[in-house]
Amino acid sequence: MTESNANKVLNWLQNAVGRVREFAYAEPTVPAPAPHRPRIGVALGGGFARGIAHLGVLSVLHEENVPVDFLTGTSAGAMLAISYASGHTIPEIERQARATRFKDFGSWKLSWLGLASNQKLEHYPRKFLGVSTFEDLKIPLAIAATDLGTGQAVYFSHGQLGPALRASCAYPGMFVPVEIEGRILVDGFLAAPVPVEAARSLGADLVIAVFLEAANNRTPSSIVDVIGLSFAILQRHADLEWRATADVIIEPMVKDFLWDDFEKTSELIAAGEAAARAALPKIRAAIAAKAGEMASQATPGKD
């Protein structure tokens, strides 16, 4: 090897040793702090078959990477919330929704307290979703029911899913009320039509509420229609406090669907998707605003 080549090799080795020393003795790099992100809760209202529209909303949130940290649900919203929180994929839940009929959760059984029983709902989470308790779920969940004695909302977030789901779906006049721990419970929509408060109590910093309006101007064809239309009128005139506390409200156009339109799954999902996509700018703006507020509060020296 010539002297020139030897010098080149020596210089290369010296440079390499220097780089190794710099690496070995350098101060460790501190990773940049993760940006502040609000914890997002999604509150799903009731609506019998119209509740399938919730699946379209959840699908868009998933596709657009809007995280769902907490879920709450009333009646049909509770059923969809359990399905999503159980970890099943959107296509799996959609297949189950398409196959669902009244016989899967109710049976006509005339009594002094209702026209039918929803006893079958007690087994729905385990039979169709493979989950039995709130603790089995992948996402924290609260289910709303109404105490018929006090008129107050009752929220379930621990223990068995079946009884809570059954109580939340006990539509007054149609299904027999459900007794849990000495309380007579009926459908959550009476006291918590969209359980925004429950999402806050779980820890949500920002709540997206999904409301499913029912039509009240069609001609009834059954006693179930009479009951449903009557409650739709009451709901329209009710003091809906949840609207004032939700950060974003999504309202799919589903009021022309009937309570048992389960065979119209595709149209209901499409309605949910359209409403969710239309609300995306508001959702992103709300998340950004809340994140900025949280970052400001976390910065030392800021009030």
PDB file of all heavy atoms in Angstrom, residues 3-4 23-24 31 67 80-81 122 146 165 219 231 268 289:
ATOM      1  N   GLU A   3       2.070   5.212   0.489  1.00  0.00           N
ATOM      2  CA  GLU A   3       1.933   6.102   1.652  1.00  0.00           C
ATOM      3  C   GLU A   3       0.674   6.944   1.543  1.00  0.00           C
ATOM      4  O   GLU A   3      -0.017   7.193   2.529  1.00  0.00           O
ATOM      5  CB  GLU A   3       3.171   7.007   1.710  1.00  0.00           C
ATOM      6  CG  GLU A   3       3.135   7.921   2.946  1.00  0.00           C
ATOM      7  CD  GLU A   3       4.412   8.758   3.038  1.00  0.00           C
ATOM      8  OE1 GLU A   3       5.346   8.498   2.278  1.00  0.00           O
ATOM      9  OE2 GLU A   3       4.419   9.664   3.879  1.00  0.00           O
ATOM     10  N   SER A   4       0.332   7.341   0.300  1.00  0.00           N
ATOM     11  CA  SER A   4      -0.880   8.154   0.101  1.00  0.00           C
ATOM     12  C   SER A   4      -2.139   7.385   0.498  1.00  0.00           C
ATOM     13  O   SER A   4      -3.018   7.897   1.189  1.00  0.00           O
ATOM     14  CB  SER A   4      -0.973   8.587  -1.364  1.00  0.00           C
ATOM     15  OG  SER A   4      -2.180   9.261  -1.602  1.00  0.00           O
ATOM     16  N   PHE A  23     -21.258  10.044  19.219  1.00  0.00           N
ATOM     17  CA  PHE A  23     -22.515   9.345  19.454  1.00  0.00           C
ATOM     18  C   PHE A  23     -22.602   8.828  20.886  1.00  0.00           C
ATOM     19  O   PHE A  23     -23.621   8.929  21.563  1.00  0.00           O
ATOM     20  CB  PHE A  23     -22.653   8.193  18.460  1.00  0.00           C
ATOM     21  CG  PHE A  23     -23.873   7.342  18.691  1.00  0.00           C
ATOM     22  CD1 PHE A  23     -25.117   7.744  18.250  1.00  0.00           C
ATOM     23  CD2 PHE A  23     -23.766   6.129  19.373  1.00  0.00           C
ATOM     24  CE1 PHE A  23     -26.233   6.969  18.488  1.00  0.00           C
ATOM     25  CE2 PHE A  23     -24.879   5.351  19.609  1.00  0.00           C
ATOM     26  CZ  PHE A  23     -26.119   5.767  19.153  1.00  0.00           C
ATOM     27  N   ALA A  24     -21.461   8.268  21.365  1.00  0.00           N
ATOM     28  CA  ALA A  24     -21.454   7.629  22.679  1.00  0.00           C
ATOM     29  C   ALA A  24     -21.616   8.644  23.814  1.00  0.00           C
ATOM     30  O   ALA A  24     -22.259   8.355  24.825  1.00  0.00           O
ATOM     31  CB  ALA A  24     -20.159   6.837  22.875  1.00  0.00           C
ATOM     32  N   PRO A  31     -37.507  13.419  23.351  1.00  0.00           N
ATOM     33  CA  PRO A  31     -38.566  13.476  22.351  1.00  0.00           C
ATOM     34  C   PRO A  31     -39.519  14.631  22.624  1.00  0.00           C
ATOM     35  O   PRO A  31     -39.762  14.999  23.772  1.00  0.00           O
ATOM     36  CB  PRO A  31     -39.294  12.124  22.523  1.00  0.00           C
ATOM     37  CG  PRO A  31     -38.978  11.702  23.927  1.00  0.00           C
ATOM     38  CD  PRO A  31     -37.596  12.235  24.200  1.00  0.00           C
ATOM     39  N   PRO A  67     -60.746   9.709  16.861  1.00  0.00           N
ATOM     40  CA  PRO A  67     -60.746   8.691  17.920  1.00  0.00           C
ATOM     41  C   PRO A  67     -62.032   8.704  18.741  1.00  0.00           C
ATOM     42  O   PRO A  67     -62.637   9.757  18.951  1.00  0.00           O
ATOM     43  CB  PRO A  67     -59.536   9.081  18.780  1.00  0.00           C
ATOM     44  CG  PRO A  67     -59.323  10.532  18.513  1.00  0.00           C
ATOM     45  CD  PRO A  67     -59.751  10.771  17.099  1.00  0.00           C
ATOM     46  N   LEU A  80     -76.022  -0.368  19.535  1.00  0.00           N
ATOM     47  CA  LEU A  80     -74.940  -0.094  18.578  1.00  0.00           C
ATOM     48  C   LEU A  80     -73.645   0.227  19.303  1.00  0.00           C
ATOM     49  O   LEU A  80     -72.565  -0.136  18.840  1.00  0.00           O
ATOM     50  CB  LEU A  80     -75.342   1.046  17.638  1.00  0.00           C
ATOM     51  CG  LEU A  80     -76.005   0.656  16.315  1.00  0.00           C
ATOM     52  CD1 LEU A  80     -75.033  -0.120  15.434  1.00  0.00           C
ATOM     53  CD2 LEU A  80     -77.271  -0.164  16.530  1.00  0.00           C
ATOM     54  N   ALA A  81     -73.738   0.914  20.437  1.00  0.00           N
ATOM     55  CA  ALA A  81     -72.543   1.251  21.205  1.00  0.00           C
ATOM     56  C   ALA A  81     -71.865  -0.009  21.726  1.00  0.00           C
ATOM     57  O   ALA A  81     -70.632  -0.131  21.676  1.00  0.00           O
ATOM     58  CB  ALA A  81     -72.907   2.182  22.365  1.00  0.00           C
ATOM     59  N   GLU A 122     -81.543  -9.660  26.963  1.00  0.00           N
ATOM     60  CA  GLU A 122     -80.643 -10.004  28.059  1.00  0.00           C
ATOM     61  C   GLU A 122     -79.465 -10.850  27.572  1.00  0.00           C
ATOM     62  O   GLU A 122     -78.364 -10.783  28.090  1.00  0.00           O
ATOM     63  CB  GLU A 122     -81.419 -10.761  29.142  1.00  0.00           C
ATOM     64  CG  GLU A 122     -80.693 -10.856  30.452  1.00  0.00           C
ATOM     65  CD  GLU A 122     -81.460 -10.201  31.592  1.00  0.00           C
ATOM     66  OE1 GLU A 122     -82.468  -9.515  31.338  1.00  0.00           O
ATOM     67  OE2 GLU A 122     -81.032 -10.382  32.731  1.00  0.00           O
ATOM     68  N   THR A 146     -84.257   4.974  32.327  1.00  0.00           N
ATOM     69  CA  THR A 146     -85.019   5.954  33.094  1.00  0.00           C
ATOM     70  C   THR A 146     -85.704   5.266  34.267  1.00  0.00           C
ATOM     71  O   THR A 146     -86.363   4.230  34.092  1.00  0.00           O
ATOM     72  CB  THR A 146     -86.091   6.626  32.220  1.00  0.00           C
ATOM     73  OG1 THR A 146     -85.463   7.278  31.110  1.00  0.00           O
ATOM     74  CG2 THR A 146     -86.880   7.650  33.021  1.00  0.00           C
ATOM     75  N   LEU A 165     -78.893  -3.223  29.000  1.00  0.00           N
ATOM     76  CA  LEU A 165     -79.377  -3.033  27.631  1.00  0.00           C
ATOM     77  C   LEU A 165     -80.884  -3.211  27.572  1.00  0.00           C
ATOM     78  O   LEU A 165     -81.596  -2.421  26.935  1.00  0.00           O
ATOM     79  CB  LEU A 165     -78.692  -4.035  26.696  1.00  0.00           C
ATOM     80  CG  LEU A 165     -79.171  -4.034  25.242  1.00  0.00           C
ATOM     81  CD1 LEU A 165     -78.929  -2.684  24.593  1.00  0.00           C
ATOM     82  CD2 LEU A 165     -78.481  -5.145  24.452  1.00  0.00           C
ATOM     83  N   THR A 219     -99.719   9.006   9.222  1.00  0.00           N
ATOM     84  CA  THR A 219    -100.930   8.363   9.721  1.00  0.00           C
ATOM     85  C   THR A 219    -100.561   7.049  10.396  1.00  0.00           C
ATOM     86  O   THR A 219     -99.917   6.193   9.785  1.00  0.00           O
ATOM     87  CB  THR A 219    -101.906   8.077   8.571  1.00  0.00           C
ATOM     88  OG1 THR A 219    -102.227   9.309   7.918  1.00  0.00           O
ATOM     89  CG2 THR A 219    -103.179   7.428   9.094  1.00  0.00           C
ATOM     90  N   PHE A 231     -94.777   9.900  21.556  1.00  0.00           N
ATOM     91  CA  PHE A 231     -93.502  10.236  22.192  1.00  0.00           C
ATOM     92  C   PHE A 231     -92.668  11.153  21.298  1.00  0.00           C
ATOM     93  O   PHE A 231     -91.895  11.972  21.800  1.00  0.00           O
ATOM     94  CB  PHE A 231     -92.727   8.965  22.539  1.00  0.00           C
ATOM     95  CG  PHE A 231     -93.203   8.302  23.803  1.00  0.00           C
ATOM     96  CD1 PHE A 231     -93.768   7.047  23.777  1.00  0.00           C
ATOM     97  CD2 PHE A 231     -93.107   8.959  25.022  1.00  0.00           C
ATOM     98  CE1 PHE A 231     -94.221   6.438  24.940  1.00  0.00           C
ATOM     99  CE2 PHE A 231     -93.552   8.379  26.188  1.00  0.00           C
ATOM    100  CZ  PHE A 231     -94.113   7.097  26.151  1.00  0.00           C
ATOM    101  N   LEU A 268     -80.181   3.351   5.893  1.00  0.00           N
ATOM    102  CA  LEU A 268     -79.952   3.933   7.214  1.00  0.00           C
ATOM    103  C   LEU A 268     -78.476   4.217   7.451  1.00  0.00           C
ATOM    104  O   LEU A 268     -78.102   5.279   7.970  1.00  0.00           O
ATOM    105  CB  LEU A 268     -80.498   2.998   8.292  1.00  0.00           C
ATOM    106  CG  LEU A 268     -82.030   2.953   8.400  1.00  0.00           C
ATOM    107  CD1 LEU A 268     -82.492   1.710   9.145  1.00  0.00           C
ATOM    108  CD2 LEU A 268     -82.551   4.211   9.082  1.00  0.00           C
ATOM    109  N   ALA A 289     -59.970  23.353  18.723  1.00  0.00           N
ATOM    110  CA  ALA A 289     -60.216  24.368  19.744  1.00  0.00           C
ATOM    111  C   ALA A 289     -59.992  23.804  21.140  1.00  0.00           C
ATOM    112  O   ALA A 289     -59.367  24.448  21.999  1.00  0.00           O
ATOM    113  CB  ALA A 289     -61.643  24.904  19.612  1.00  0.00           C
TER     114      ALA A 289
END
